[in-house]
Amino acid sequence: MELTYLRTFCEVAASGSHTRAAENLGYAQSSVTAQIAKLEEMYGAKLLERSGRGMAPTFAGRTLLRYARQMLALSEEAKEVIAEGQTGELAIGSIETLAAYFLPQRLHQYRKQYPDIRIRVLPGSETDIIAAVRNKSADFGLIFDMPYASDELQVLALQPEELFIIVHPGHPLAGHGSAELSMLAAEPLVLTEDTCTYRNFLLQKMRGLGMTPRVELEFGNLEGIKQAVKHEWGVAFLPGYTVLEELRRGELRAIPVSEDGGKGFFIQLIYRKDRWLSASFKRFIEMMQAGG
C-alpha cells in the first residue's frame, strides 16, 4: 500500500496538481488527497505545499521524493526479474535533441516487440540525466558529448555525429564548403540553453581564439532556434541530425567546421554497471546500438 501512496506522491510532485495526478493515475481526486494525507501521517511531516497555482514538495517532500523514486524503481526492477522483462517500465533520460530526432523510430521498433512495457522519456540536461541514472530514477540515459567515462556507469558510444554552423540560405557563409570558427566573430549567435554540451564547446573554442561570442538569442527548444535562423536573426551551432528535413527542403544550410571543429561528439547510451538487465533491457541496448 505504501508504494501506491509513494507513486501518487511522485505523480502530484511531477504534475504540480492533485487534479492532474488523479487524471493521470485514473483515480478520483479525493483518493489522491486521502493518499497524500496518509503518507504525511506515516512520515510525520508536511510533504506538499501550495506554490503559485500548483503544488510543490516541501523540504521534507523533496527528501522523500528521492527515496520514493528509488523505491518505485526497485519495485519495477523486481517485477521485471519475476516476469523476465516482458512487462514493467522503461525510463530513459534524454537530452531534447535525441528525444526528438534519435529515439522515436527506435522506440517504435522496440514497442512492436515489447508492447506491454510502459516507456517514459525523461528530458533533461546531461548533468540531470547522469544523476537520474546513478540514483536509479532512470534506467538508461542518452547524452551527446565527447566520450564520457565513469567508474559507476557503463557507457556505450552509439555513433559519432558532426556539429555544423547552421545559416539561412541567403547568409554569406551559405556558399562556403567549410568555415573556421573565427568567421563567427561578428555573427549574432542563436544558441541552446547554457547546460548544453555543444553550446559550451562552441563558446569555449571561440574564447580560446580570443573572441567574445555574440549570443543574441537563447532557446530551450530546437524549433525556436531553427525558426530564428530562418528569420535571419543569427546563426546556430547544431548536430547535423537535427536539421535533415530543413536541409532537404532548402530552408537552411549546414556548414562544416574546419579543422575538425565540429567533430568528436558521440551519441552515448549510459546505464549503471550494477543494473540487472532483463531480456527486454538487453534488447533495448541492442536496438540502440544497431540503429533501431
Side-chain angles (χ1 to χ4, degrees), residues 105 107-115:
Q105 179 59 29
L107 290 183
H108 176 67
Q109 296 298 323
Y110 183 77
R111 283 185 61 80
K112 285 183 179 179
Q113 191 165 350
Y114 295 98

Side-chain angles (χ1 to χ4, degrees), residues 76-119:
E76 290 297 329
E77 185 173 320
K79 290 177 184 177
E80 290 164 18
V81 173
I82 294 169
E84 297 185 349
Q86 298 300 313
T87 62
E89 181 176 274
L90 173 62
I92 309 161
S94 176
I95 64 169
E96 190 226 348
T97 55
L98 297 177
Y101 298 98
F102 180 80
L103 266 178
Q105 179 59 29
R106 291 160 176 82
L107 290 183
H108 176 67
Q109 296 298 323
Y110 183 77
R111 283 185 61 80
K112 285 183 179 179
Q113 191 165 350
Y114 295 98
D116 295 326
I117 292 181
R118 177 178 177 236
I119 296 174

Side-chain angles (χ1 to χ4, degrees), residues 22-98:
E23 292 173 353
N24 294 340
L25 294 169
Y27 296 158
Q29 184 175 339
S30 59
S31 178
V32 169
T33 302
Q35 288 184 39
I36 296 301
K38 284 282 189 182
L39 204 58
E40 290 179 333
E41 182 181 342
M42 289 169 60
Y43 285 97
K46 185 74 173 175
L47 301 175
L48 294 163
E49 61 186 357
R50 188 160 298 282
S51 176
R53 295 184 178 179
M55 303 298 294
T58 61
F59 177 80
R62 290 193 297 272
T63 301
L64 177 62
L65 194 58
R66 294 196 299 271
Y67 289 104
R69 287 170 174 163
Q70 291 181 44
M71 291 166 70
L72 291 170
L74 286 171
S75 174
E76 290 297 329
E77 185 173 320
K79 290 177 184 177
E80 290 164 18
V81 173
I82 294 169
E84 297 185 349
Q86 298 300 313
T87 62
E89 181 176 274
L90 173 62
I92 309 161
S94 176
I95 64 169
E96 190 226 348
T97 55
L98 297 177

Side-chain angles (χ1 to χ4, degrees), residues 162 164-184 187 235 247 252-258:
E162 190 171 355
F164 295 86
I165 298 169
I166 309 299
V167 300
H168 183 274
H171 192 280
L173 289 176
H176 287 243
S178 65
E180 298 178 0
L181 291 180
S182 59
M183 299 171 73
L184 300 180
E187 294 289 344
V235 304
L247 297 179
L252 295 173
R253 293 286 186 272
I255 316 303
V257 183
S258 307

